Amino acid sequence: MKMTFRWYGEDDPVTLEKIKQIPAVSGIVSAIYDIPVGEVWPYERILRLKETVEAAGLELSVIESVPVHEDIKTGDGDRDRYINNYCETLRNLAKAGVDCVCYNFMPVFDWTRSNLAYELSDGSNALIYDNETVLKMDPVKGELSLPGWDASYTKDDMKALLDKYKNISEEDLWNNLKYFLDRVIKVAEEVKVKMAIHPDDPPWGIFGLPRIITNKKNIERFLKLYDSPYNGLTLCSGSLGVSPDNDIVELVNAFCDRIHFAHIRNIKITGERCFEESAHKTEYGSLDIYGIVKAYYDNGFDGYIRPDHGRMIWGETGKPGYGLFDRALGAVYLNGLWEAIDRSAK
Ligand code: DNO
């Protein structure tokens, strides 16, 4: 496996120089953030990103994400143009040496929480999800935004988009995903870029929108839509793990050969459809992080791993979930588990 760390580009207060000082982290997960969703990423821009990362003594490992335009998810309007652009971006990424791309197929919203800075009992701050609160939220009023969301929508755009989804069922979304995969994975195979879909976070429908990458059965269905090693997964323990029906160790064992990118973090389930993002170590949450790392090890995982969201600790401020300190602790913990498992296997 290769341990990586997410970097949000030049504006990220967590600089490459800081990331370089985390022991045993050599890969960077990043993206180009200022190109409108759906447009082609020019080769020169990708090269510049790669050179910046390499100048800091790190490697550009994974692109997270090349976002999928809503027209592709709704099967609408300009979807063919956006799919062609997506393929063009993949070709440019491959030319620059990128071999793994993370994306998601969540309608409108990426990861969703009800509170971005909930105070935990140790005084740190974490993201939480409380079902009652989310049920009362009205996205058209713009009550919450997250780093993962496309902030460029106006309230009118948002309303129009949500209205459009009123006619899209889960089955429609599956069909539109297949249409996308049939065109994109062919190119991914040709240029040897492993595509890694991120599961829906949380893994249930929100704001009346359908969500489909949510559990084992659906992941099996997804993998069969286009049966190729290039049609793979970002297995995010914290996204799928908030549903007690998802056993992450079982998912790693079932799908390891199609997992290209592992997001590993813990969460603590606090009620039905309620959870807190906890420290990475097993005892702080509901997931057996040791068991998950061991499952990757035992299955011979040789893809990319990154620690995922961290709490805000030691007074750090910044992008919710993406500070330096707690994610760095997560990376060191995961590396420690890996070393211990590796030693005891020999
Ligand atoms: C959240 C992230 C997600 C992820 C996208 C992938 O912290 O894991 O925003 O990057 O869903 O497209």
Side-chain angles (χ1 to χ4, degrees):
M1 66 94 179
K2 187 177 188 77
M3 187 59 69
T4 63
F5 205 82
R6 192 170 192 180
W7 177 61
Y8 272 99
E10 303 288 354
D11 297 334
D12 193 337
V14 181
T15 59
L16 291 172
E17 289 65 34
K18 289 177 183 164
I19 297 172
K20 173 76 184 154
Q21 293 172 3
I22 307 170
V25 167
S26 55
I28 287 295
V29 174
S30 196
I32 299 178
Y33 294 96
D34 61 351
I35 298 179
V37 175
E39 299 309 319
V40 177
W41 294 13
Y43 172 65
E44 296 66 34
R45 290 292 312 276
I46 300 166
L47 204 58
R48 213 191 308 152
L49 170 66
K50 184 182 157 83
E51 285 167 0
T52 305
V53 168
E54 288 176 355
L58 295 156
E59 283 165 34
L60 181 61
S61 299
V62 181
I63 296 298
E64 178 176 355
S65 318
V66 180
V68 176
H69 195 277
E70 294 301 324
D71 272 13
I72 299 177
K73 296 179 221 163
T74 57
D76 222 55
D78 270 348
R79 80 164 151 184
D80 288 328
R81 180 170 86 80
Y82 290 123
I83 290 176
N84 288 339
N85 286 354
Y86 204 99
C87 293
E88 204 49 40
T89 296
L90 287 190
R91 290 183 199 283
N92 290 343
L93 287 167
K95 197 167 141 197
V98 170
D99 66 358
C100 184
V101 167
C102 169
Y103 68 103
N104 73 73
F105 217 73
M106 289 177 246
V108 193
F109 303 103
D110 193 333
W111 55 308
T112 301
R113 301 288 182 269
S114 55
N115 185 339
L116 307 183
Y118 178 81
E119 193 171 322
L120 300 179
S121 58
D122 63 3
S124 62
N125 295 92
L127 294 108
I128 64 161
Y129 186 98
D130 174 68
N131 199 38
E132 289 295 307
T133 312
V134 175
L135 289 176
K136 283 188 212 129
M137 279 165 44
D138 181 355
V140 176
K141 290 201 184 122
E143 280 162 343
L144 182 64
S145 76
L146 283 169
W149 291 4
D150 182 340
S152 64
Y153 295 127
T154 62
K155 285 182 185 174
D156 288 346
D157 293 340
M158 179 63 80
K159 188 167 178 335
L161 200 50
L162 291 175
D163 282 347
K164 196 183 276 179
Y165 273 102
K166 286 193 177 134
N167 302 318
I168 311 274
S169 66
E170 278 189 16
E171 281 310 305
D172 294 329
L173 198 58
W174 279 112
N175 289 337
N176 296 339
L177 177 54
K178 180 163 171 47
Y179 187 95
F180 172 75
L181 295 175
D182 283 344
R183 285 149 188 83
V184 167
I185 303 297
K186 220 182 289 163
V187 175
E189 284 175 329
E190 192 189 307
V191 298
K192 302 203 168 8
V193 170
K194 290 182 177 141
M195 295 295 291
I197 197 168
H198 188 286
D200 302 347
D201 181 355
W204 49 74
I206 50 160
F207 309 132
L209 297 162
R211 288 193 156 194
I212 55 179
I213 309 298
T214 51
N215 56 33
K216 186 174 182 206
K217 189 168 122 260
N218 286 15
I219 292 174
E220 263 159 12
R221 179 172 176 185
F222 165 79
L223 294 173
K224 282 192 196 130
L225 286 182
Y226 197 115
D227 199 6
S228 158
Y230 289 89
N231 180 33
L233 307 170
T234 297
L235 199 90
C236 178
S237 65
S239 301
L240 291 163
V242 299
S243 166
D245 298 338
N246 289 329
D247 174 341
I248 307 300
V249 172
E250 184 193 344
L251 298 179
V252 174
N253 286 332
F255 304 125
C256 200
D257 59 335
R258 298 283 284 274
I259 301 173
H260 304 313
F261 189 23
H263 286 183
I264 308 186
R265 68 180 157 89
N266 212 342
I267 46 84
K268 186 166 160 195
I269 299 175
T270 51
E272 206 184 327
R273 295 199 166 177
C274 296
F275 59 87
E276 294 170 1
E277 296 194 353
S278 51
H280 281 71
K281 196 166 186 291
T282 300
E283 71 199 74
Y284 290 99
S286 307
L287 305 184
D288 176 8
I289 300 295
Y290 165 79
I292 292 169
V293 173
K294 186 160 184 328
Y296 278 113
Y297 182 91
D298 290 345
N299 283 284
F301 180 70
D302 67 352
Y304 301 103
I305 295 186
R306 74 166 176 81
D308 208 349
H309 307 168
R311 301 158 303 141
M312 283 299 173
I313 59 173
W314 304 333
E316 187 177 19
T317 54
K319 234 181 229 315
Y322 284 96
L324 170 65
F325 303 143
D326 203 32
R327 283 191 300 146
L329 293 180
V332 172
Y333 170 60
L334 297 174
N335 270 326
L337 284 177
W338 193 275
E339 179 180 347
I341 295 165
D342 184 44
R343 288 278 189 107
S344 60
K346 285 176 180 156

